Amino acid sequence: MRPTDQSQPTDETVSEHGAAEEESAAQFWERIHRARGGWGTRVNPLLAEVAAPLRPGAALDLGCGPGGDSIWLAQQGWHVTAVDISATAVQRVRARARELGVGELVNAERHDLADSFPAGRFDLVSAQYFQTPFELPRADILRTAARALRPGGLLLVVDHGSTAPWSWNQDPDIHYPTPDETAAELALDPARWSVLRADMPRRRATGPAGETATVVDNVLLVQRAAV
Ligand SMILES: C[S@@+](CC[C@H](N)C(=O)[O-])C[C@H]1O[C@@H](n2cnc3c(N)ncnc32)[C@H](O)[C@@H]1O
């Protein structure tokens, strides 16, 4: 999640918001989004790096949060479907897109992606830090996303690859799936999808109190064959 006023994305920062017992994923994320008014309104640099050279088409933002990525894509001319489990997040993306004059280009929908997936075919699907402390059939969701790509379309998955000092999860045994592991889980037919990028770049990240640390992102970029 990314605070508004910082030049780089922060790592997941839900430390004060550990999931309460009996709380559902929808309740948990709704609580997080209500509590965090202003984060996540800047584009993720890795998405900008991948999308900037592309001709704008139809994009899907999975787990869009407050919509920094969706709105940036719309500002580049993309027609964006922004999806999140939190009704508050979805409403905020919709309202902010309207405020910024790109409301016509952003279709924000509430989905628990474990249960439903938006309709449409896409030139770009982006899953930025689509990580949650709850059970999630992530590989199934990302496989559905890969199938929803138009010929030549791209699926970009950016995950945390290391734990920032301010992260909610300081479990020393945590294992972040590497890009190669995520690709293996997706088990996409190599005749129809190619891995264009699977790497783990480092970046300087800024935490909620302005502290900085070097963190690793796990980046997987897959392309659907042109025919
Ligand atoms: C770690 S945040 C990342 C948000 C945003 N992509 C970013 O980079 O700032 C994960 C997002 O996924 C959403 N989410 C979690 N579980 C979900 C689910 N099952 N279906 C749809 N969205 C979900 C959360 O509400 C949250 O906005």
Side-chain angles (χ1 to χ4, degrees):
M1 299 183 192
R2 302 191 294 276
T4 327
D5 56 350
Q6 291 172 358
S7 59
Q8 297 190 48
T10 67
D11 197 349
E12 176 70 69
T13 52
V14 293
S15 49
E16 68 275 42
H17 301 288
E21 247 179 80
E22 307 296 323
E23 195 173 33
S24 70
Q27 288 167 335
F28 170 82
W29 283 108
E30 184 58 19
R31 183 163 58 81
I32 298 295
H33 284 282
R34 282 187 190 173
R36 289 183 173 267
W39 55 267
T41 50
R42 294 179 72 95
V43 65
N44 181 322
L46 284 159
L47 172 64
E49 182 186 321
V50 168
L54 304 177
R55 193 172 60 182
L60 172 61
D61 186 0
L62 296 175
C64 62
D69 292 339
S70 292
I71 287 168
W72 180 85
L73 284 166
Q75 288 170 331
Q76 314 309 304
W78 291 81
H79 288 259
V80 185
T81 302
V83 170
D84 204 279
I85 195 172
S86 157
T88 294
V90 166
Q91 282 157 14
R92 285 188 183 148
V93 178
R94 209 176 279 143
R96 194 153 171 271
R98 274 200 302 264
E99 271 166 37
L100 294 172
V102 290
E104 299 284 295
L105 291 175
V106 176
N107 170 36
E109 296 180 11
R110 185 189 171 275
H111 288 266
D112 180 344
L113 288 160
D115 297 333
S116 62
F117 197 88
R121 304 289 306 281
F122 304 96
D123 302 291
L124 173 66
V125 180
S126 172
Q128 301 287 321
Y129 310 106
F130 182 45
Q131 289 166 302
T132 173
F134 290 83
E135 284 284 320
L136 183 73
R138 215 174 83 108
D140 291 343
I141 295 166
L142 295 177
R143 212 174 294 120
T144 302
R147 288 198 207 101
L149 289 173
R150 290 181 177 146
L154 296 174
L155 168 64
L156 173 64
V157 183
V158 177
D159 290 329
H160 296 303
S162 68
T163 304
W166 54 83
S167 172
W168 64 278
N169 193 340
Q170 295 295 330
D171 177 355
D173 297 326
I174 190 166
H175 173 70
Y176 294 108
T178 66
D180 287 339
E181 286 168 347
T182 300
E185 265 187 358
L186 295 186
L188 296 171
D189 177 356
R192 295 172 67 197
W193 288 274
S194 321
V195 173
L196 299 187
R197 175 172 174 179
D199 63 345
M200 302 168 69
R202 290 171 182 275
R203 65 178 163 86
R204 201 76 190 148
T206 306
E211 67 275 52
T212 60
T214 298
V215 296
V216 175
D217 287 316
N218 289 350
V219 181
L220 177 67
L221 181 63
V222 170
Q223 183 168 42
R224 186 170 193 153
V227 282

